[in-house]
Amino acid sequence: MRVVQVINSFGLDRGGAERLARGLHSDLLDLGADAHIIALEPCATDGLKNARSLGIANPRDPRAAIRLARALGSLATPDSVVHGHLFPTILHLTMLRRAGRIAAPCTMTEHNTWNKRRDSWLWRRLDRAIYSQFDRIAAISTQTRDALTTAHPQVAAKTVTVRNGAALRFVTPPERPDTSTPPTILTVARLARAKNIETALAALHQIADRPWSYVVAGDGALRPVLEARANELGIADRVTFLGNVTDVTELLRSADIFLLPSLWEGFGLAAVEAMNAALPVVASDVPGLSDIVAPAGNPVIAPDDVQGFAQALGRLIDAPAQRSQLGLAGFEAAKAYDKVGMARDYLAMWRDLPERVAA
């Protein structure tokens, strides 16, 4: 089966959707699929087979659709599948399909339980037109599917849940001494509004009398703002902004608590990876995240509840035995999110397309 994924970027410095697409591409190749991946924006292929970047500086440029049509070329044959991720990639695919420039069936992944377009009548109409051009929509969690079909009931019949998979780095739980002082609290996230790092800083400020250090792996436009906020709160000497980290394995191994205070999530990929590292997770009580971490006993807090985050972190700082107990429960729960299983589920979805000429 030939599968052509298209996404804004598959750079390793991006978020969960980009990591999903890149990992899915590699797993599809390993499973014997004729897999290809195309990025609109400049990004390094890093030796990735059948990967191409179109080098478009602004993916919202309408001319990107023309470049994409040329790149798809002979790849998008009727017996293949073109699969899109993220806006504006899905908009370009919509325009090309309406113009008859894509002969292949088209599918897409819905990555979030919310997007700002749903707050605007005009943008909701655009989304309706976009979704109408895709033969299947894969939602990365049940909560993501529910949110999408509530906003756009007309897509319910063609929307399926293909639960995200994660890179499970640890075969056995890492050992951590109970005497780690100060405990290291870790967040792996883009520095964007959705990740709500300012609430994390405010919560840590409330427990400044306790021993802790805070490490943030990730970069983004809000980094200067967050660094300034840490300084204003008087905790800058205990907070480390690492910027983008390609491989977080050692960070996960050396941390004691994982913190993810997101305002919204489609699927808590970083939380699953932390659970696989046997870390207790303090997370927001939002769809797509709480349903992953809460069954393992991890505390979930309303995303605007600074005091709630502070109290949950304080309890775990004071209770290394509870950290270990939650970590082991999370390690077992994370086994359900194997990324190769996700790739097989995508292949099953594509093979089931009635529009396909051949499987």
Side-chain angles (χ1 to χ4, degrees), residues 229-316:
R229 183 59 178 153
N231 191 57
E232 291 170 5
L233 293 171
I235 59 174
D237 60 330
R238 301 167 71 178
V239 178
T240 303
F241 290 93
L242 294 177
N244 181 56
V245 178
T246 301
D247 186 349
V248 297
T249 303
E250 291 309 313
L251 289 176
L252 292 169
R253 191 191 307 275
S254 61
D256 299 284
I257 301 168
F258 195 80
L259 173 60
L260 196 61
S262 306
L263 295 176
W264 65 86
E265 289 280 356
F267 175 87
L269 178 62
V272 172
E273 292 177 346
M275 290 163 61
N276 170 246
L279 284 172
V281 178
V282 178
S284 290
D285 189 5
V286 294
L289 181 55
S290 59
D291 52 297
I292 291 171
V293 303
N298 292 297
V300 292
I301 316 296
D304 60 350
D305 186 357
V306 173
Q307 185 175 3
F309 276 106
Q311 291 173 344
L313 290 168
R315 285 193 293 268
L316 289 176

Side-chain angles (χ1 to χ4, degrees), residues 77-101:
T77 56
D79 60 344
S80 65
V81 175
V82 174
H83 186 85
H85 302 266
L86 302 178
F87 190 91
T89 288
I90 56 174
L91 175 59
H92 296 315
L93 291 174
T94 294
M95 292 189 296
L96 292 176
R97 200 167 198 209
R98 288 178 69 92
R101 298 292 300 273

